[in-house]
Amino acid sequence: MRKATIAMYAGAALTLVAVLALVVDQSGGGLARHLHDTYPGRAPDWLDMATASIAGYLYTLYGAGFVLWLWMARKAGKGTRSLRIAATAAFVVGSVLLVYNFTQPHPLVVTATGALPCLSGLAAVAFLWAGRSTRKSATA
């Protein structure tokens, strides 16, 4: 479980990197510029609303992901048996959201950076399924 726990904390750290990439992109107007280039005929009010909606969605997604990473890492440290299923479900949902994000008009750097936590998720799930399921089974 130690390797899985490390992968989960790495996922939390990579989620913070994704947030930082979004903050940097927004401060430079990247998302707004990208939406303007993608939808050149749209009114400025619509572009402002779309920029705010997408940023809100991404910040919410990253916030929920960060909390989930920390929760799962704590559970992994305790050897919770059901963590395999929860982590696998979180990985599948995160991967589906990642694929969805690549279909949306987000700047590529924002979406690519957001993919990094999924790599930690893949590692964590692999470590969980490769190792023993609980501390009890490790002593049995």
Side-chain angles (χ1 to χ4, degrees), residues 38-50:
T38 304
Y39 304 106
R42 296 290 183 148
D45 288 347
W46 184 89
L47 291 170
D48 290 344
M49 181 274 310

Side-chain angles (χ1 to χ4, degrees), residues 1 74 76-80 132-140:
M1 288 269 186
R74 287 191 63 152
K78 294 178 182 179
T80 306
R132 295 176 186 245
S133 63
T134 66
R135 281 189 185 153
K136 268 189 197 174
S137 65
T139 59

